[in-house]
């Protein structure tokens, strides 16, 4: 008696061929796939079809009263995800407009596709340079796939809010205080990319994230204010010193000009008398040349 050994590759090829031809899917493979990403693997079953037929009969027998129950309307910004006997109907979400459901067997949920905004509560974060800050933000998102947002997550809105809080803490925990205060745009873009990637399996599209406020401890604010005040005083002293230096240079140039022209000193004297007479008419100043005094003292 002889046995033929089958390689794992041929075994996998036979499984894939049988799956394509027979259309069966093992329970383990079906459970590992995300909900809403595939069509129904099996039908409703015998009992399911019986209940569906009974529902149609009830609608026909109670026509037109049944129209009040069976016909539903969704707005332009809404979609309806229909479940029949607990299973998603093929074709995706219905709407906008009128759609039809069967009593007793169908259930539906409305999903709003408009952009939703929410505030991320202030988060106490320890930065990379060991500074405790309180940061809050605002997030704008919308539902991009109504079917997945209902089937893959229990509450897409609440899940997005919680994920935004943890993402904000994780990103800011790797930044210095200076980067948080000066590079908000880059932080917002990084947070938006990570949130959008994480919420994509939930059918959520994160459109925008903005950092609202960064609150520092009171002691740190006082220290930063004292540092800024000292820096301003230092700059003021430097500017005053530069002004005095420029003024001394201008006075030196003016003295050189007056020394080259003796009549310029007399003109300056007359200009000084004019400015004094405009304010104090009773005060008159007579300049006395130092050269004249020196000559008198020599005599």
């Amino acid at each position: 008696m002889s046995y033929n050994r089958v390689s794992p590759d041929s075994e996998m090829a036979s499984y894939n061929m049988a799956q394509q031809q027979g259309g069966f899917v093992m329970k383990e493979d079906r459970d590992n796939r995300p909900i809403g990403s595939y069509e129904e693997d099996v039908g409703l079953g015998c009992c399911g079809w019986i209940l569906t037929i009974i529902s149609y009969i009830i609608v026909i027998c109670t026509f037109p009263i049944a129209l009040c129950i069976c016909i539903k309307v969704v707005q332009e910004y809404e979609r309806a995800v229909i479940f029949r006997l607990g299973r998603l109907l093929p074709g995706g979400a219905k709407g906008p407009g009128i759609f039809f459901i069967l009593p007793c067997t169908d259930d539906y949920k409305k999903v709003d596709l408009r952009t939703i905004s929410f505030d991320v509560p202030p988060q106490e974060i320890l930065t990379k340079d060991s500074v405790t800050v309180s940061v809050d933000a605002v997030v704008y998102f919308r539902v991009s796939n109504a079917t997945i947002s209902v089937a893959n997550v229990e509450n897409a809105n609440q899940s997005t809010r919680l994920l935004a809080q943890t993402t904000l803490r994780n990103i800011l925990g790797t930044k210095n205080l200076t980067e948080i205060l000066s590079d908000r745009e880059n932080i917002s873009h990084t947070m938006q990319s990570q949130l959008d990637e994480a919420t994509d399996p939930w059918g959520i599209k994160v459109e925008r994230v903005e950092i609202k406020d960064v609150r520092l401890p009171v002691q740190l604010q006082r220290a930063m204010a004292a540092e800024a005040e000292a820096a301003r005083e230092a700059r003021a002293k430097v500017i005053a010193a530069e002004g005095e230096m420029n003024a001394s240079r201008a006075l030196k140039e003016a003295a050189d000009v007056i020394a080259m022209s003796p009549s310029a000193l007399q003109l300056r004297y007359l200009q000084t008398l004019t400015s004094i007479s405009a304010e104090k008419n009773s005060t008159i100043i007579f300049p006395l040349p130092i050269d004249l005094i020196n000559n008198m003292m020599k005599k």
Side-chain angles (χ1 to χ4, degrees):
M1 182 180 295
S2 61
Y3 295 94
N4 295 326
R5 184 176 180 180
V6 181
S7 63
D9 296 336
S10 61
E11 203 172 8
M12 182 60 67
S14 302
Y15 168 77
N16 293 333
M17 183 179 299
Q19 186 177 11
Q20 294 176 359
Q21 294 178 356
F24 70 91
V25 178
M26 296 181 66
K27 183 179 184 301
E28 291 79 4
D29 296 336
R30 185 173 64 249
D31 293 340
N32 290 333
R33 291 181 295 177
I35 303 173
S37 62
Y38 57 93
E39 298 293 337
E40 293 182 334
D41 297 322
V42 295
L44 295 176
C46 181
C47 294
W49 281 111
I50 292 174
L51 293 176
T52 303
I53 294 173
I54 293 175
S55 298
Y56 277 110
I57 293 174
I58 293 175
V59 172
I60 295 173
C61 293
T62 57
F63 185 84
I65 299 176
L67 296 179
C68 299
I69 303 175
C70 298
I71 295 180
K72 302 295 180 180
V73 179
V74 292
Q75 304 296 330
E76 181 69 28
Y77 53 83
E78 293 178 333
R79 296 295 183 270
V81 180
I82 303 176
F83 296 87
R84 177 162 296 171
L85 297 176
R87 302 181 66 86
L88 283 171
L89 285 183
K94 307 298 181 183
I98 300 175
F99 65 95
F100 181 84
I101 63 172
L102 293 176
C104 304
T105 60
D106 289 0
D107 185 21
Y108 73 97
K109 292 185 179 181
K110 288 184 179 180
V111 180
D112 197 333
L113 302 183
R114 293 177 293 183
T115 299
I116 302 173
S117 63
F118 67 89
D119 293 328
V120 179
Q123 303 293 311
E124 294 289 339
I125 300 169
L126 184 64
T127 62
K128 191 176 181 180
D129 50 355
S130 301
V131 178
T132 302
V133 295
S134 178
V135 184
D136 57 355
V138 59
V139 179
Y140 300 87
F141 73 96
R142 61 179 175 84
V143 177
S144 60
N145 191 318
T147 303
I148 295 178
S149 67
V150 173
N152 283 10
V153 62
E154 180 182 3
N155 191 333
N157 193 346
Q158 183 66 19
S159 300
T160 304
R161 293 173 183 267
L162 296 177
L163 184 61
Q165 297 180 21
T166 57
T167 304
L168 179 63
R169 297 175 67 91
N170 293 336
I171 292 178
L172 296 184
T174 60
K175 303 291 184 180
N176 296 325
L177 179 61
T178 305
E179 296 176 349
I180 295 176
L181 296 176
S182 61
D183 199 11
R184 294 190 181 186
E185 184 177 357
N186 188 23
I187 294 174
S188 300
H189 180 70
T190 303
M191 184 177 175
Q192 186 264 337
S193 301
Q194 293 189 10
L195 275 177
D196 191 23
E197 182 180 359
T199 57
D200 185 65
W202 301 342
I204 300 295
K205 172 65 178 177
V206 178
E207 296 180 339
R208 191 178 183 87
V209 177
E210 292 293 339
I211 302 296
K212 290 178 59 177
D213 190 18
V214 179
R215 288 185 288 274
L216 304 176
V218 179
Q219 296 179 353
L220 182 60
Q221 293 180 12
R222 293 176 181 175
M224 295 178 66
E227 181 182 0
E229 184 178 0
R232 287 194 296 268
E233 291 180 354
R235 287 195 298 269
K237 291 180 180 179
V238 171
I239 293 173
E242 291 178 353
E244 292 179 358
M245 181 179 64
N246 295 332
S248 62
R249 290 177 180 176
L251 289 175
K252 180 180 180 299
E253 294 176 358
D256 294 339
V257 173
I258 293 175
M260 290 186 298
S261 178
S263 60
L265 182 60
Q266 186 67 21
L267 294 176
R268 180 61 180 168
Y269 163 65
L270 295 176
Q271 184 180 4
T272 304
L273 288 180
T274 303
S275 61
I276 293 175
S277 63
E279 297 180 358
K280 299 179 180 180
N281 298 329
S282 61
T283 303
I284 299 177
I285 300 175
F286 292 96
L288 188 63
I290 298 177
D291 297 337
L292 180 61
I293 296 175
N294 293 331
N295 294 331
M296 292 176 63
M297 292 178 64
K298 289 179 180 180
K299 292 179 179 181

